[in-house]
């Protein structure tokens, strides 16, 4: 059996066992209270609870967000709730305590400060109606905690258990609680039968209709309600016995109780009807608690009484301690029989409220003549302490044969252990003196001289984003009145956090400046300066003192003139020179200000009309808020402030729109009056990652929970709209406000595209209605058909299960069945039990998870016990990959959704038509092998297996069909763009738009939330530019930056193919974006699709002339291989009246001399590398050209590689990456023809039936390199020359400044993973935009996603450097690992992503950098790459170490790639998560540091040391892997 060593642990364990919900109040979510760590450990151990079936729900709550409000909803629903907290929340929670006292809630209170607790926080709430129990020792903490829970259950009333942890700090460990004793004392079975009836209305006032009553069976009754007018119902009044007033917390009641028998009198009850109820009285509480203590005594021998006396039976003196008792108890008990304290007793209150005076009498020996009352009350508000008054009243009114003892009050201060005896001696000297001093202070008043540090409110690190923006915008003008840890606050952080304090501070500061302005005016009128110069300046300044721009513009000049004057008056004014500047004054608050108990200060600021700015940071995540209790009464401060009509209000979110935050803060500062900027920053823990905050923010903004807007009432005077909506959706409350003042109709007129979003209602009921309509439409369609019904439900991520289900439905219809095919989540689950035949087809996602469109269906199936499926027949077919999770322990994931579904439906009564079918991607024909065996069994079971005359099935539409039917890439793209009912385009058009340079995507961070709201996915488009060689002008850079703001998501992505990429472009902005790109003299055609894509070229900043030669070739190849179709111009660029001449009716005739109507079998990529830099990964592309320099230092020709490619499918060994094969050498003038002929051989011989086998790499391996080379040479009419010598030394970029041979300067910026954006910490995008305005050279995008500022002249060098420093763009002092890293986009926009990449790799590197530092590897270049899927956009297969996403949070790890990009890596570990990655990488890096040879690169080391085998060619990629995939059956 384990042991318990701390009172907080003992209490936490009892609370955990005895509750359905434990509210763990903490200083901050990332800072533990005395209880929280123990509760978290218990939850992690999945300790079984005595009360809750699966263990209680532990809810962490910050202490400053009105935590007790969270207790009401679960209490009203019949849950057993406990709270663990420090005493710091009690006084602010008094309004809630009066109401909570009528519920069976237990609040465990650790008294604070821990070094010298303040018991006044208990005495101040003694009349709240709670029962109060106190424990002192470790064993008592365990027993009294249990007693508290049992008492709450029995009485139906709230119990507060309080204790001082210091009292038991030195106690010996005790055994953990006896579960059977806990179960027996709690009497859980009886507790669960109590009638918890919810009250009719929910309010925050003391009386909300609930009252703890007793029935004649002595069980608490809670169904007593108040009438409409707040009076007691007549029936209840008549049935309540007239037993007199019994307020268990009043002193008056203790007088009456002291002369009465302590046992509850039942005589008045027995004469009433059997359903009589009455209020729970103090006698009832005593009866219950003594019964509980009797149970504990019977089981353990430990006894407890309402008042505990220890000492001699004949003692004449005693001390009554209400405070830290440990020192006195130890001192008195240690006294020898003849010592001065040997005949002294100690009295403490175990049951503090109700105060039972008669029990105090009974606990004391009758010989007691003198009592010293010691009260540890730091906040003394009355002359006489509350305990002294209780004792005086009880003993003077109570029965006594020997008279009333002398009672002397003492104020108990902090006692050092060494002075405890001296303190006791002083107490008894005073007590025994002829004229004792009342209220004598003992010990150090107010606590120790060096108190232990208590937790102070601190601004969470994650909130620094908004503070940094304030600092950036206002600089030295910024004054935050309540800035945490700032010297100008001048007061404790807890007090400074109150809006009242900050407001008062600012008012004083405003008044001070007004006085200063008056002093300056007087000085300007006087003659006390040494010269006349200051007077003129001061006069001008006073006229503009309240104008921010003018006052601050003149301030420095005024200060300078005063400094040179030298007069006494000038020196006096200069002593307050900061007041010459008009500050931007702010109060910073948290969402604690949004609750009733923190909202008064906000009200004062707004109502005052003062020119004060408030930034209020709301940190509650949307997902939590969606399920939160409405009774928490968290105010919408933005709406609250707007209703005043005199305040500027903005709702912002830095992780949604950085620009909008800037605009709002500037507007708030300019507004003459109160301003409220409500800023969203959702987090569950103060140390949450930026990725977590970003994902939560996107959900809230997208769904309208957190709308982005600005409200400026001052705009009415300018005849401008006062409301500006900066996001697409608003919530209902804001909609009602706008509708009321006609702002909504104005908004819809200005922005018609918002109309549907603003006036619609999105909720779960909408989703249910959509399901019902879809189902009813199917039923109506099937009514006229014959045959048995068959409902086919599918769950599919990549489309295979959906295609299979639709094909099955088609075949069923052909066999005479009434078939209906739907996604599982689109099906109304309540109809499932009345179906006849149900077939379910599901693929497998992640770690054995259901696909996205099957989540809700499965959750409903697995969580219900009420769904009767006994009347249905069903069959399941599952699609999976038996080798996707290679470890034996992970084999359970294989086809897990299908297996689980089959078992669950059978459990609910369904009858199998046939055994579940399992499709395996590892079979010869993939999942079709298993499906081919399963489908005939299904038809046989349905009795339709021998149907004759079945129609021939149409073949599935392939990409080749789409291309040939598209009329040279037109399809129905133009029509789809005009369709405003959806943000999507047709499936076929989604394939065709790739040829135009754009992919349709949706935001995967938002899929689940939007689905729950009945919305289609958040569709948007990615646009990729075609930029040969990655060279752009400053003008083009600024235009790309502008497009990202006007049409995209305010970021620019620099891709691994040296071009610009935009994300978040909604359909309505696609055409404007394309036109804007065209105006920048750029294009997007053939940036994607089955054509030759953007041609890459080494950046080579140190050799400008040579780079110019090579870049010209890249542009020539790009232009030569461009598609010829005019569809691009027609769809994206022509004006409405720009009609193209059409031939032969409506058909537009185009011609593709290179590509033909079906273009290429798959994508085609060309790159050029300039030795010794392989910064474009020349081996990874369909064509890789290695530039060869001539004797004159200029370009001569190229070595030609062909057949490189990166795309792979996990666990499909027929797919693999490949490095290019050398074909030979070709001169510069011929190279574009060489590229053309290689492409034509691929066009004619590539696999057009299997897209997974369609890339050039497979064509070359199928044909053989020599045969392929011969085909190319046949088209060329000549043979390749022998390749020239070359040498590569790296494939990473060279960061920092370099000078070329012409004297021009070039700087390579580190752009992590190519994402150009502004954040609070780093205004990268702004800085690059400002540099582009003055730069006279070029911008070069690199193949590693970085950026080169190229061609800076020496004359401009210093100004450019200053701008770079201003925007922190000159920093390249990063670890070699970070500088050598690269990642694809992945989540949230890439539809193929299985795991995070761009958003996660920086975090992973951060966690490795301490290890690099420790082992001396910080500056060493190690090429690390990460992708979210195996398609290889960041070319991971060539990296020295790579992580390729396999499921969310899980990656395959590869080792052994060549540092020069010349060798493929190989699988080292499969499906590992972060913890395993770190466990592998840290020792591996240490060994590399210790064991590497001179100049040996990391990838080479892993091969030489035996960690991994070398991959000699692509076809050997899957051989000799370090972790063999298990062949065991799943």
């Amino acid at each position: 059996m384990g042991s318990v060593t701390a009172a907080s642990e003992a209490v936490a364990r009892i609370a955990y066992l005895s509750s359905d919900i434990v509210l763990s109040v903490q200083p901050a979510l990332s800072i533990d209270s005395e209880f929280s760590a123990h509760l978290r450990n218990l939850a992690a151990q999945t300790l079984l609870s005595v009360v809750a079936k699966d263990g209680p729900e532990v809810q962490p709550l910050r202490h400053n967000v009105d935590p007790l409000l969270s207790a009401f909803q679960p209490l009203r629903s019949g849950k057993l709730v406990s709270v663990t907290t420090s005493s710091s929340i009690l006084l602010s929670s008094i309004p809630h305590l009066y109401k909570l006292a009528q519920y069976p809630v237990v609040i465990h209170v650790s008294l604070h400060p821990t070094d010298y607790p303040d018991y006044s926080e208990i005495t101040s709430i003694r009349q709240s109606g709670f029962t109060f129990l106190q424990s002192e020792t470790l064993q008592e903490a365990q027993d009294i905690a249990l007693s508290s829970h049992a008492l709450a259950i029995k009485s139906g009333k709230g119990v507060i258990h309080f204790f001082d942890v210091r009292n038991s700090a030195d106690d010996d460990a005790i055994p953990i609680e006896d579960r059977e004793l806990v179960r027996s004392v709690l009497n859980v079975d009886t507790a669960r039968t109590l009638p918890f009836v919810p009250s009719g209305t929910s309010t925050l006032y003391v009386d909300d209709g609930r009252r703890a009553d007793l029935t004649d069976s002595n069980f608490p009754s809670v169904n007593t309600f108040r009438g409409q007018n707040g009076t007691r119902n007549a029936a209840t009044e008549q049935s309540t016995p007239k037993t007199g007033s019994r307020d268990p917390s009043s002193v008056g009641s203790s007088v009456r109780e002291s002369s009465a028998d302590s046992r509850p009198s039942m005589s008045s009850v027995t004469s009433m009807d059997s359903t009589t109820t009455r209020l729970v009285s103090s006698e009832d509480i005593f009866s219950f608690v003594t019964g509980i203590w009797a149970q504990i005594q019977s089981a353990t021998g430990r006894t407890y009484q309402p008042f505990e006396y220890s000492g001699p039976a004949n003692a004449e003196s005693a001390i009554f301690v209400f405070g830290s008792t440990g020192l006195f108890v130890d001192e008195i008990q240690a006294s020898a029989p003849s010592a001065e304290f040997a005949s002294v007793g100690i009295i403490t209150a175990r049951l503090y409220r109700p105060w039972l005076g008669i029990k105090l009498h009974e606990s004391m020996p009758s010989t007691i003549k003198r009592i010293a009352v010691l009260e540890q009350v730091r906040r003394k508000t009355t002359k006489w302490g509350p305990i002294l008054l209780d004792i005086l009243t009880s003993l003077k009114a109570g029965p006594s044969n020997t008279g009333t003892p002398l009672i002397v009050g003492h104020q108990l201060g902090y006692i050092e252990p060494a002075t405890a005896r001296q303190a006791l001696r002083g107490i008894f000297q005073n007590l025994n003196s002829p004229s004792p001093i009342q209220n004598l202070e003992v010990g150090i008043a107010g606590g120790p001289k060096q108190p232990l540090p208590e937790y102070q409110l601190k601004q969470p690190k994650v909130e620094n984003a908004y503070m940094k923006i304030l600092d950036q915008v206002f600089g030295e003008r910024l004054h935050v009145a309540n800035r945490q840890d700032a010297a100008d606050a001048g007061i404790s952080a807890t007090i400074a956090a109150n809006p009242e304090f900050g407001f008062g501070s600012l008012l004083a500061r405003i008044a001070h400046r007004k006085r200063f302005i008056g002093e300056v005016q007087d000085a300007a009128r006087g003659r006390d300066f040494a010269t006349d110069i200051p007077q003129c300046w001061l006069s001008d300044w006073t006229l503009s003192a309240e104008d921010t721009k003018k006052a601050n513009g003149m301030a420095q000049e005024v200060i300078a003139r005063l400094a040179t004057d030298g007069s006494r008056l000038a020196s006096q004014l200069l002593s307050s020179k900061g007041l010459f500047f008009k500050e931007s004054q702010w109060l910073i608050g948290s969402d604690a200000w949004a609750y009733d108990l923190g909202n008064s200060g906000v009200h004062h600021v707004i109502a005052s009309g003062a020119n004060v700015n408030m930034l209020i940071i709301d940190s509650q995540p949307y997902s939590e808020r969606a399920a939160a209790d409405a009774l928490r009464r968290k105010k919408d401060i933005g709406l609250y402030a707007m209703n005043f009509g005199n305040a500027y209000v903005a709702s912002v979110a830095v992780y949604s729109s950085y620009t909008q935050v800037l605009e709002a803060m500037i507007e708030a500062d300019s507004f003459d009056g109160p301003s409220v900027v409500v800023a969203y920053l959702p987090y569950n823990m103060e140390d949450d990652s930026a990725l977590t905050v970003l994902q939560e923010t996107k959900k809230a903004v997208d769904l309208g929970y957190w709308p982005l807007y600005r409200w400026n009432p001052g705009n009415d005077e300018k005849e401008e709209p006062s409301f500006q909506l900066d996001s697409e959706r608003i919530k209902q409350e804001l909609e009602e406000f706008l509708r009321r003042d006609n702002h909504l109709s104005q908004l819809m007129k200005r922005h018609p595209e918002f109309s549907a979003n603003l006036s619609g209602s999105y909720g779960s009921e909408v989703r249910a209605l959509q399901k019902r309509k879809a189902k009813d439409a199917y039923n109506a369609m099937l009514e006229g058909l014959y045959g048995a019904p068959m409902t086919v439900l599918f769950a599919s991520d990549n489309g295979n299960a959906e295609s299979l289900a639709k094909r099955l439905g088609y075949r069923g219809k052909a066999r005479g069945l009434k078939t209906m095919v739907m996604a599982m989540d689109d099906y109304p689950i309540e109809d499932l039990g009345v179906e006849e035949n149900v077939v379910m087809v599901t693929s497998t996602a992640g770690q054995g998870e259901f696909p996205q469109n099957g989540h809700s269906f499965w959750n409903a199936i697995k969580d219900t016990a009420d769904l009767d499926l006994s009347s249905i027949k069903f069959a399941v077919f599952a699609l999976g990959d038996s080798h996707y999770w290679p470890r034996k322990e992970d084999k359970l994931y294989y086809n897990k959704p299908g297996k689980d579904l089959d078992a669950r439906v059978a459990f609910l009564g369904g009858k199998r038509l046939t055994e579940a079918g399992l499709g395996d991607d590892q079979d010869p024909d993939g999942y079709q092998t298993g499906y081919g065996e399963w489908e005939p069994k299904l038809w046989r079971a349905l009795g339709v297996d021998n149907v004759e005359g079945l129609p021939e099935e149409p073949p599935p539409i392939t990409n080749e069909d789409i291309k040939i039917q598209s009329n040279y890439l037109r399809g129905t793209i133009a029509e789809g763009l005009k369709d405003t009912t959806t943000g999507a385009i047709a499936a076929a058009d989604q394939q065709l738009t790739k040829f135009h340079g754009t992919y349709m995507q949706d935001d995967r961070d938002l899929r689940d939330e939007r689905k729950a709201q009945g919305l289609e996915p958040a569709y948007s488009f990615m646009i990729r530019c075609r930029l040969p060689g990655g060279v752009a002008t400053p003008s083009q850079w600024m235009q790309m930056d502008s497009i990202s703001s006007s049409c995209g998501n305010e970021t620019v992505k620099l891709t691994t193919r040296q071009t610009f990429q935009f994300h978040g472009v909604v359909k309505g902005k696609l055409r404007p974006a394309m036109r804007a790109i065209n105006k920048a003299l750029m294009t997007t055609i053939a940036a994607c699709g089955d054509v030759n894509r953007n041609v890459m070229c080494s950046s080579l900043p140190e050799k400008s002339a040579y780079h110019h030669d090579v870049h010209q070739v890249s542009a020539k190849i790009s232009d030569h291989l461009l598609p010829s179709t005019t569809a691009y111009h027609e769809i994206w660029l022509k004006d409405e009246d720009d009609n193209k001449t059409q031939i032969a009716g409506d058909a537009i005739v185009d011609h593709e001399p290179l590509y033909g109507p079906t273009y290429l079998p798959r994508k085609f990529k060309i790159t050029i590398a300039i030795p010794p830099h392989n910064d474009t990964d020349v081996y990874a592309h369909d064509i890789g050209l290695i530039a060869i320099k001539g004797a004159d230092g200029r370009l001569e020709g190229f070595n030609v590689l062909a057949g490189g490619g990166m795309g792979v499918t996990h666990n499909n060994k027929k797919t693999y990456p490949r490095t290019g094969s050398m074909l030979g050498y070709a001169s510069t003038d011929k190279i574009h023809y060489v590229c053309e002929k290689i492409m034509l051989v691929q066009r004619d011989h590539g696999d057009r039936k299997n897209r997974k086998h369609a890339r050039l790499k497979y064509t070359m391996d199928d044909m053989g390199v020599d045969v392929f080379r011969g085909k190319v040479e046949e088209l060329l009419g000549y043979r390749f020359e022998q390749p020239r010598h070359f040498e590569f030394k790296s494939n990473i970029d060279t960061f920092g400044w370099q000078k070329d041979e012409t004297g021009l300067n070039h700087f390579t910026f580190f752009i992590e993973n190519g994402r150009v954006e502004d954040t609070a910490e780093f205004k990268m995008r702004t800085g690059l935009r400002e540099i582009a305005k003055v730069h006279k050279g070029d911008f070069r995008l690199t193949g590693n996603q970085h950026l080169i500022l190229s061609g800076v002249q020496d004359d401009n060098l210093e100004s450019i450097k200053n701008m770079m420093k201003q925007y922190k763009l000159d920093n390249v002092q990063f670890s070699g690992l970070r500088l050598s890293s690269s990642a694809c986009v992945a989540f949230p926009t890439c539809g193929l992503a299985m795991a995070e990449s761009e958003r996660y790799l920086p975090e992973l590197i951060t966690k490795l950098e301490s290890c690099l530092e420790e082992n001396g590897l910080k500056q060493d270049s190690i090429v690390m790459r990460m992708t979210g899927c195996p398609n290889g956009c960041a070319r991971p297969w060539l990296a020295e170490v790579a992580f390729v996403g396999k499921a969310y949070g899980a990656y395959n790890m590869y080792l052994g790639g060549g540092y020069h990009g010349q060798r493929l890596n190989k699988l080292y570990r499969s499906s590992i998560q972060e913890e395993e990655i770190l466990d592998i990488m840290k020792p591996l890096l240490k060994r590399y540091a210790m064991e590497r040879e001179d100049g040996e690169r990391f990838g080479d080391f892993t091969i030489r040391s035996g960690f991994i085998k070398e991959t000699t060619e692509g076809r050997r990629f899957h051989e000799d892997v370090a972790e063999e995939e298990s062949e065991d059956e799943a």
Side-chain angles (χ1 to χ4, degrees), residues 827-838:
Y827 182 84
I829 194 69
E830 62 273 13
D831 286 3
L832 190 58
V834 297
E835 296 286 357
E836 187 172 334
N837 301 302
V838 180

Side-chain angles (χ1 to χ4, degrees), residues 1339-1394:
F1339 286 93
R1340 299 183 189 176
L1341 283 62
T1342 80
N1344 290 309
Q1345 302 176 291
H1346 304 300
L1347 178 67
I1348 300 175
L1349 186 70
S1350 182
V1352 180
Q1353 297 178 354
D1354 287 345
D1355 293 346
N1356 301 322
L1357 187 59
E1358 198 59 35
S1359 62
I1360 291 291
K1361 284 184 175 180
N1362 289 336
M1363 293 182 73
M1364 289 167 56
K1365 183 176 182 180
Q1366 175 186 352
Y1367 291 102
K1368 304 177 185 176
L1369 288 165
D1370 57 349
N1371 183 15
V1372 293
Q1373 299 305 310
F1374 300 98
S1375 68
L1377 179 64
R1378 192 176 295 273
L1379 292 173
S1380 308
S1381 66
S1382 184
C1384 69
V1385 176
F1387 284 101
T1389 51
C1390 179
L1392 301 175
M1394 302 171 181

Side-chain angles (χ1 to χ4, degrees), residues 794-1020:
F794 64 84
S796 178
D797 265 347
N798 60 11
N800 287 338
E802 180 177 358
S803 298
L804 210 57
K806 290 179 177 177
R807 190 176 75 183
L808 182 67
Y810 175 86
R811 291 177 175 177
K813 193 177 297 183
R815 293 170 182 270
L817 300 175
K818 295 181 183 178
T819 61
M820 175 174 68
V821 183
M822 298 181 74
M824 290 182 184
D825 279 3
D826 291 335
Y827 182 84
I829 194 69
E830 62 273 13
D831 286 3
L832 190 58
V834 297
E835 296 286 357
E836 187 172 334
N837 301 302
V838 180
V839 181
M840 290 164 278
V841 183
T842 178
S843 58
T844 307
Q847 287 185 294
E849 299 159 11
F850 267 81
Q852 194 95 18
N853 57 359
H855 279 175
S856 299
F857 181 87
W858 170 241
N859 288 336
I861 289 283
K862 74 181 177 70
D863 290 338
T864 183
D866 302 326
L867 188 60
D868 181 6
L869 301 183
S870 58
S871 64
I872 76 165
K873 297 176 182 177
F874 76 97
V876 173
F877 186 79
L879 294 81
D881 185 337
S882 59
H883 287 182
Y884 198 80
W885 301 95
R887 305 176 192 176
K888 289 183 179 180
E889 61 268 27
D890 293 335
K891 284 297 182 181
L892 64 113
Y893 298 139
Y894 168 57
N895 272 326
K896 187 174 186 297
K899 293 176 181 177
D900 288 349
L901 192 58
D902 178 73
R904 185 62 183 171
V905 174
F907 175 81
L908 293 172
K911 299 175 183 62
R912 290 186 179 90
L913 288 164
T914 182
E915 292 299 312
L918 302 180
D920 189 350
D921 283 350
Q922 296 299 317
D923 286 340
D925 295 323
Y927 63 82
Q928 295 286 359
T929 301
Y931 182 79
E933 299 171 357
W934 175 83
E935 186 184 313
K937 297 176 183 177
L938 175 66
W939 301 139
R940 197 155 46 245
L942 291 169
V944 291
D945 52 324
N946 294 318
V947 177
E948 296 181 357
L950 290 174
E952 186 175 337
E953 287 185 18
I957 296 176
T958 66
N959 280 61
E960 296 302 307
D961 297 324
I962 292 172
K963 285 185 284 186
I964 202 166
Q965 294 169 13
S966 72
N967 190 13
Y968 294 95
L969 308 182
R970 288 173 175 81
T972 58
I973 297 174
E975 293 81 356
L977 293 175
K978 296 176 182 178
D979 182 2
T980 59
T981 64
T982 176
I985 56 176
D989 291 338
Q990 293 173 33
Q991 298 300 318
L992 296 175
T993 52
K994 295 178 182 180
F995 292 79
H996 298 257
T998 181
Y999 278 76
M1000 192 183 87
Q1001 302 174 327
D1002 76 288
D1003 194 323
R1004 296 174 67 180
D1005 284 345
L1006 304 175
R1007 274 186 186 174
D1008 288 343
E1009 295 293 344
R1010 289 181 66 88
K1011 191 171 187 179
Q1013 296 289 325
L1015 301 171
E1016 71 175 10
Y1019 291 120
S1020 65

Side-chain angles (χ1 to χ4, degrees), residues 1143-1428:
I1143 302 171
D1146 296 329
I1148 298 173
V1149 176
D1150 258 333
H1151 180 55
E1152 286 285 10
L1154 287 179
Y1155 292 102
T1158 54
Y1159 296 86
L1160 299 180
R1162 281 290 262 128
K1163 66 182 78 170
F1164 199 84
K1165 299 178 179 181
I1166 300 176
T1167 189
I1168 305 175
I1170 305 176
H1173 300 291
N1174 184 17
D1175 54 341
T1176 61
D1177 274 330
V1178 72
Y1179 293 96
H1181 298 75
D1182 295 274
I1183 297 178
L1185 303 178
I1186 302 171
I1188 303 299
K1189 187 189 297 183
D1192 59 355
R1194 304 302 289 263
L1195 178 64
E1196 180 181 87
F1198 299 88
N1199 286 347
V1200 181
L1201 300 168
M1206 293 286 101
V1208 175
T1209 299
H1210 276 314
N1211 294 88
N1212 184 344
K1213 294 183 180 180
K1214 295 178 182 178
T1215 66
Y1216 49 84
R1218 188 184 190 277
T1219 52
S1221 300
M1222 181 65 71
L1223 296 185
Y1225 171 84
S1227 60
T1228 301
D1229 60 324
K1230 299 176 181 177
I1231 196 64
H1232 60 295
Y1233 291 114
V1234 170
C1235 292
E1236 173 196 317
K1237 304 312 178 189
I1238 294 173
M1239 188 181 81
L1240 293 181
V1241 174
Q1242 165 65 358
R1243 181 197 69 184
D1244 297 338
H1245 296 275
D1247 188 344
R1248 291 182 180 268
K1249 294 183 179 179
N1250 180 4
R1251 285 183 67 82
K1252 291 183 183 293
H1253 190 253
R1255 288 291 299 272
L1256 175 60
K1257 58 182 176 179
Y1258 301 117
T1259 305
M1260 288 192 68
D1261 278 345
D1262 291 347
M1263 295 176 69
V1265 174
D1266 292 340
V1267 173
F1268 183 88
R1269 182 190 293 113
K1271 291 284 186 184
V1272 175
E1273 291 174 339
E1274 183 179 326
L1275 292 177
L1276 285 171
Y1278 56 84
R1279 303 187 68 175
F1280 286 102
E1281 298 180 35
Q1282 287 297 311
R1284 305 295 196 263
H1285 174 75
F1286 67 94
E1287 182 182 11
F1288 287 129
K1289 294 183 178 179
S1290 78
N1291 70 346
I1292 64 169
D1293 295 333
T1294 304
F1295 297 93
W1297 285 105
Q1298 298 179 73
K1299 189 179 284 286
D1300 68 21
E1301 77 278 13
T1302 67
L1304 293 176
N1305 302 283
H1306 310 262
F1307 185 88
T1308 303
F1309 299 102
F1310 173 68
I1311 312 291
E1312 190 157 33
N1313 298 320
R1315 183 66 64 179
V1316 179
E1317 62 181 337
D1318 277 346
T1319 67
E1321 292 80 14
F1322 188 14
K1323 296 172 70 175
M1324 178 201 302
R1325 184 169 156 240
T1326 297
L1328 291 173
R1329 180 171 60 245
E1330 294 304 311
I1331 288 174
K1333 292 177 181 178
V1334 299
H1335 181 44
K1336 297 180 176 62
D1338 292 326
F1339 286 93
R1340 299 183 189 176
L1341 283 62
T1342 80
N1344 290 309
Q1345 302 176 291
H1346 304 300
L1347 178 67
I1348 300 175
L1349 186 70
S1350 182
V1352 180
Q1353 297 178 354
D1354 287 345
D1355 293 346
N1356 301 322
L1357 187 59
E1358 198 59 35
S1359 62
I1360 291 291
K1361 284 184 175 180
N1362 289 336
M1363 293 182 73
M1364 289 167 56
K1365 183 176 182 180
Q1366 175 186 352
Y1367 291 102
K1368 304 177 185 176
L1369 288 165
D1370 57 349
N1371 183 15
V1372 293
Q1373 299 305 310
F1374 300 98
S1375 68
L1377 179 64
R1378 192 176 295 273
L1379 292 173
S1380 308
S1381 66
S1382 184
C1384 69
V1385 176
F1387 284 101
T1389 51
C1390 179
L1392 301 175
M1394 302 171 181
E1396 292 283 359
S1397 181
E1398 178 191 325
R1399 300 192 297 192
Y1400 173 59
L1401 182 58
E1403 292 183 22
L1404 178 63
I1405 292 174
T1406 298
K1407 293 176 181 179
L1408 288 170
E1409 282 176 326
S1410 60
C1411 174
L1412 295 171
E1413 186 92 40
E1414 291 168 7
N1415 292 288
L1417 296 173
K1418 183 177 180 181
Q1419 304 304 324
D1420 286 68
S1421 173
I1422 299 174
V1423 179
M1424 175 183 282
R1425 293 175 181 170
M1426 177 176 282
T1427 58

